[in-house]
Amino acid sequence: MRFLRPSCLIPVLLLTACGYPQNDPYPAGERGTNTLYSAFTERPKHLDPARSYSEDESVFTAQIYEAPLQYHYLKRPYALIPAAAEAVPHPYYLDAAGERLPDSAPAETIAHSVYEVRIRPGIRYQPHPAFALDAAGQPVYQALDKKALAGIDTLAGFEHTGTRELVADDYIYQIKRLAHPRLHSPIFGMMSERIVGLKRLGEALQQAAKGGPDAVWLDLDRFPVEGVTRVDRYTYRVTLNGKYPQFLYWLAMPFFAPVPREVDRFYSQPGMAEKNLTLDWYPVGTGPYRLTENNPNRRMVLERNPNFHGETYPCEGEAADEAAGLLEDCGQPIPRIDRVVFTRETESIPYWNKFLQGYYDASGIASDSFDQAVSFGAGGAVQLTEDMQTRGIRLLTSVRPSLFYMGFNMLDATIGEPNGERARKLRQALSIAVDQEEFISIFMNGRGIAAMNPVPPGIFGHGEGADGINPVVYDREGDAANGQPRRKPIAVAKQLLADAGWPNGRDAKTNEPLVLNLDTPSGMGDKATMDWLTRQFAKIDIQLVVRQTDGNRFQEKLRKGAVQIFFFGWNADYPDPENFFFLLSGSEGKVATGGENAANYQNPEFDRLFAQMKNMESDGPNGARRAEIIARMNRILQHDAPWIFGFHPKSYTLAHAWLQSRKPMGVGNNALKYQRIDVALRERQRAAWNAPVLWPLALIALLIAALVVPAVAAYRRRERGVARDRHQGS
């Protein structure tokens, strides 16, 4: 028996700890590659562009599909620019007789708006089996059945792939898919009222679908739609009822991205759906990336589309973009990143730790990690902690195109329109008393800004500087032109309440206390939030009763107008003020029409201005006039106070130093193609932050030596003694 010398154990142990960090969660073959690493928490449900509508899904769909239009990466307010289209289309207008009208024609004279979209020639789809052709030019995979699919479980199982040019027919086919009865597109109801003939197409497809089982393919080329027609190989025309300028924003969404007929046919073959071989699982597009791995419970991978037609990085943006280094890549070809790996993380702590180790390139900030990442300096300015700054981490902030508000039911006898001027002063008093800045500080770690009107920053009509301040709730602090908003003293709210007939929170005639009810779904707002809100009302001597119920019952009460006060929020479908102001349009009254105006607010002058504003463009000669109308609408809403204008949430994102050219986008979400990775810097930082700690191993080695050396010495003495005895005996 031969013993290893104890002194040899130390280098052996130390060598096992050397080399690349042992905690690296990624395969060794990925080291040093131009790959961005990110995480997702909710598995995407739909990747089919006719069905996908959630923000979690757009992280993938916006990189794969190319709608005709997109948003400029750097400009704010958000500006539409071409994507697959050659230019942003300008509509022309027709009257009821089909005669062309001037652009300045009043909206009420316009029977139809016509948009002609011309697609850039030469754009090609990602490689896909649906495009594979045999020697005779016929699809290789056109007559598959379950037997032929045996052994094929992923898209990679198909041996042959192909591609072809993007044409106008592909966009027409997708618009028809919005009416497909088996897809249940979330925008079909709304678009069927806008696009001429789309509702009739839906009815025709509904009838056709009854003729066979769900597995039977509906060839949509056999079903014409009056308002969507082909002009030539690269141009199609969409005709809308009336005037609807916001249609351009829809042309930037995946709903209006192309889906080729042969892809729809390929995925409709028997046995495909059972293996998740569907457009919902494997999308097909012309965008900068394609989905090559889809395991939504663990990992999803986007890789550069080898057929992408290419773009260049923008050369202009906001005033601060140059100082932030966001113009350094001006004119460079995009995408800059070859591959994006998304790993599913269901717990915030492991996600955060991997970010700190450099294994995620960017991260949001969970509540339990907020103090570790961010601190507040003088005047409440947000800043990174010293540890984050030492690591070279950057804080990226943006205000989301969203609004959370507290609504008043204007049909209510106490707080609504039936109580006239008295109720208006009560609503104004509450708008002052409920301190949004305090709520944002306590419950949101400062991640939000108090709203002055319905329109979030970054969207035309928000109102900047002193002109954007709500004069009912705030005073201007300092210079009148550039002063910052300061919430009015609580004494002003109490005076308004007294003027309304409730001095000290009691009816001046009956001395009865004023009690108001807040209706909210169960689970919306924890006890701490509700207790805080109760204290806000108590500041002006009003008693608040919180009535929680289940979600369905809450919605029913809203539909019937059986509420006084409620919480709601809205996230922009598109960055236009119309998408927020319509929430207070009289034609959208929840009780009267089942619309989205849950406050049931109605003001004839506001509605008149809204009708003008919604049909105007934000740029060109109409821009200044539209801004003026919006300012008047905001003053009406601030005076009437149908809402407490709550807050616009802020998103905080942390990015490592090696992640460059990253700017938050509240809409569009196709930002991956603009970003860049300094791979060498990332490798160095990961190695430094995850260097093995060797002293415990050295200590263990010394302990082993301390135990083994005496044992070996004793063993050798015993062996020598035995050998000596044998020698003497012989």
Side-chain angles (χ1 to χ4, degrees):
M1 181 177 182
R2 184 175 177 85
F3 280 88
L4 183 67
R5 291 176 180 268
S7 58
C8 295
L9 289 172
I10 296 176
V12 169
L13 287 169
L14 296 183
L15 283 171
T16 62
C18 296
Y20 207 83
Q22 299 300 304
N23 63 345
D24 187 354
Y26 306 118
E30 293 184 7
R31 294 169 188 165
T33 62
N34 185 19
T35 301
L36 185 144
Y37 293 96
S38 186
F40 66 102
T41 56
E42 297 294 330
R43 55 175 293 169
K45 186 177 180 181
H46 296 297
L47 298 179
D48 183 330
R51 309 176 76 184
S52 177
Y53 205 8
S54 79
E55 192 171 343
D56 293 332
E57 294 160 356
S58 69
V59 171
F60 303 98
T61 57
Q63 325 309 326
I64 298 167
Y65 296 110
E66 274 193 304
L69 306 179
Q70 61 184 332
Y71 293 99
H72 194 285
Y73 182 49
L74 301 178
K75 289 184 178 179
R76 305 293 184 271
Y78 293 98
L80 286 169
I81 60 173
E86 285 188 340
V88 178
H90 182 77
Y92 62 86
Y93 305 113
L94 305 174
D95 63 16
E99 296 295 322
R100 193 153 179 168
L101 295 169
D103 289 351
S104 59
E108 58 270 18
T109 67
I110 297 173
H112 296 108
S113 304
V114 182
Y115 291 79
E116 283 196 0
V117 183
R118 180 167 177 80
I119 302 303
R120 284 185 284 162
I123 295 175
R124 304 188 71 80
Y125 284 97
Q126 67 183 65
H128 193 274
F131 301 123
L133 302 177
D134 60 21
Q138 296 300 309
V140 173
Y141 304 111
Q142 67 174 346
L144 301 179
D145 54 22
K146 293 184 178 181
K147 183 178 180 181
L149 289 174
I152 298 178
D153 297 311
T154 68
L155 206 63
F158 293 94
E159 181 180 358
H160 304 286
T161 63
T163 185
R164 72 158 172 81
E165 188 182 29
L166 171 70
V167 294
D169 285 332
D170 301 333
Y171 287 93
I172 296 172
Y173 197 90
Q174 165 62 4
I175 294 174
K176 291 179 180 180
R177 292 181 78 246
L178 301 178
H180 199 302
R182 297 177 190 138
L183 294 179
H184 306 289
S185 176
I187 69 162
F188 170 67
M190 190 270 286
M191 282 298 159
S192 67
E193 300 295 326
R194 299 288 185 182
I195 300 176
V196 174
L198 193 63
K199 181 180 290 186
R200 288 192 294 276
L201 173 64
E203 293 167 353
L205 294 177
Q206 189 75 43
Q207 285 299 117
K210 293 179 181 178
D214 286 350
V216 174
W217 175 54
L218 286 178
D219 184 358
L220 301 184
D221 278 351
R222 297 191 297 107
F223 298 85
V225 55
E226 181 184 352
V228 187
T229 55
R230 181 183 189 271
V231 177
D232 57 41
R233 179 176 175 82
Y234 302 111
T235 310
Y236 65 101
R237 180 182 296 136
V238 181
T239 303
L240 306 181
N241 291 310
K243 186 175 184 180
Y244 184 49
Q246 290 76 25
F247 183 67
L248 287 175
Y249 296 113
W250 290 100
L251 290 179
M253 296 186 190
F255 292 117
F256 288 87
V259 170
R261 175 183 180 274
E262 54 263 58
V263 167
D264 190 36
R265 178 72 183 93
F266 172 82
Y267 282 131
S268 297
Q269 296 178 92
M272 289 282 193
E274 289 89 332
K275 293 174 175 282
N276 281 328
L277 295 171
T278 66
L279 203 59
D280 246 356
W281 202 266
Y282 291 110
V284 183
T286 62
Y289 293 99
R290 55 178 176 156
L291 186 66
T292 56
E293 183 179 335
N294 186 355
N295 183 352
N297 290 320
R298 191 179 71 87
R299 166 173 142 138
M300 300 179 73
V301 178
L302 293 174
E303 293 186 12
R304 184 193 289 260
N305 173 11
N307 297 334
F308 183 56
H309 53 84
E311 290 181 62
T312 57
Y313 190 91
C315 292
E316 57 181 344
E318 291 186 284
D321 286 343
E322 185 171 5
L326 289 168
L327 296 180
E328 291 178 0
D329 290 337
C330 165
Q332 293 296 312
I334 56 176
R336 312 299 305 279
I337 294 170
D338 295 333
R339 191 164 170 266
V340 187
V341 174
F342 298 89
T343 304
R344 190 174 184 194
E345 294 284 0
T346 57
E347 300 290 338
S348 61
I349 298 302
Y351 183 1
W352 176 248
N353 287 337
K354 288 176 187 175
F355 169 72
L356 294 181
Q357 292 165 336
Y359 295 126
Y360 288 130
D361 298 313
S363 172
I365 310 176
S367 296
D368 47 13
S369 305
F370 193 84
D371 291 341
Q372 188 178 354
V374 172
S375 62
F376 293 94
V382 64
Q383 59 188 21
L384 288 170
T385 60
E386 185 177 349
D387 180 48
M388 297 296 109
Q389 294 181 47
T390 301
R391 292 170 178 264
I393 292 172
R394 304 189 317 278
L395 175 64
L396 308 176
T397 66
S398 66
V399 181
R400 297 177 58 82
S402 306
L403 171 70
F404 289 91
Y405 64 90
M406 182 180 290
F408 300 114
N409 178 16
M410 300 298 283
L411 301 179
D412 181 74
T414 300
I415 207 164
E417 192 59 35
N419 207 13
E421 183 71 4
R422 191 182 187 203
R424 181 182 61 78
K425 290 184 176 181
L426 168 59
R427 297 192 301 270
Q428 290 181 346
L430 286 170
S431 297
I432 296 170
V434 180
D435 191 334
Q436 299 301 324
E437 289 83 2
E438 184 176 294
F439 179 87
I440 293 166
S441 175
I442 294 174
F443 296 103
M444 301 184 64
N445 296 115
R447 287 180 281 188
I449 64 169
M452 301 292 174
N453 59 62
V455 184
I459 294 179
F460 184 88
H462 164 67
E464 298 295 338
D467 290 338
I469 293 174
N470 182 350
V472 172
V473 179
Y474 294 89
D475 292 318
R476 294 178 184 174
E477 187 176 54
D479 180 76
N482 301 305
Q484 296 299 309
R486 183 184 68 244
R487 185 169 290 271
K488 289 182 182 290
I490 204 68
V492 175
K494 287 188 173 184
Q495 185 60 53
L496 281 167
L497 193 61
D499 293 345
W502 284 289
N504 300 315
R506 291 183 173 272
D507 191 296
K509 296 179 180 179
T510 66
N511 203 37
E512 291 294 320
L514 178 56
V515 180
L516 298 177
N517 300 307
L518 169 69
D519 286 274
T520 178
S522 299
M524 182 178 177
D526 56 21
K527 185 177 183 301
T529 305
M530 294 300 107
D531 288 346
W532 176 86
L533 195 57
T534 300
R535 291 194 298 272
Q536 300 298 297
F537 278 59
K539 288 192 300 189
I540 54 174
D541 304 308
I542 295 177
Q543 298 178 32
L544 179 67
V545 176
V546 178
R547 303 190 301 198
Q548 290 194 333
T549 184
D550 64 81
N552 291 333
R553 173 63 178 152
F554 174 70
Q555 292 294 335
E556 182 183 357
K557 293 175 78 171
L558 285 176
R559 286 192 296 269
K560 293 180 176 180
V563 298
Q564 273 191 319
I565 309 173
F566 57 91
F567 275 129
F568 248 24
W570 185 260
N571 190 56
D573 289 309
Y574 43 82
D576 189 87
E578 179 268 347
N579 196 232
F580 287 89
F581 282 123
F582 93 105
L583 299 171
L584 288 161
S585 168
S587 63
E588 287 283 334
K590 178 71 73 175
V591 173
T593 69
E596 296 295 340
N597 180 359
N600 300 294
Y601 172 69
Q602 191 162 17
N603 180 302
E605 178 63 9
F606 175 85
D607 289 343
R608 184 185 69 81
L609 294 171
F610 175 71
Q612 291 182 42
M613 183 279 303
K614 71 176 183 178
N615 291 316
M616 299 174 73
E617 294 80 17
S618 296
D619 54 2
N622 280 331
R625 175 63 177 153
R626 195 183 199 209
E628 178 187 337
I629 292 174
I630 289 171
R632 290 164 60 189
M633 294 170 67
N634 281 331
R635 289 294 180 251
I636 292 172
L637 294 177
Q638 290 161 349
H639 178 265
D640 287 351
W643 294 348
I644 295 176
F645 289 110
F647 61 91
H648 307 295
K650 269 187 177 181
S651 68
Y652 281 21
T653 303
L654 299 176
H656 283 295
W658 56 75
L659 180 58
Q660 300 295 322
S661 301
R662 183 182 178 107
K663 183 173 183 176
M665 287 187 76
V667 296
N669 297 315
N670 62 340
L672 279 176
K673 62 185 178 182
Y674 300 102
Q675 298 173 49
R676 173 168 50 88
I677 296 286
D678 185 335
V679 177
L681 176 60
R682 180 171 63 187
E683 291 297 298
R684 291 196 301 271
Q685 294 289 67
R686 281 184 179 178
W689 295 342
N690 298 278
V693 180
L694 301 180
W695 68 262
L697 295 176
L699 179 60
I700 292 171
L702 290 174
L703 291 173
I704 292 174
L707 294 172
V708 171
V709 169
V712 170
Y715 174 81
R716 286 181 173 175
R717 285 195 301 272
R718 186 168 61 254
E719 286 295 300
R720 285 196 295 269
V722 170
R724 186 171 55 253
D725 292 342
R726 287 177 179 170
H727 177 72
Q728 292 175 351
S730 63

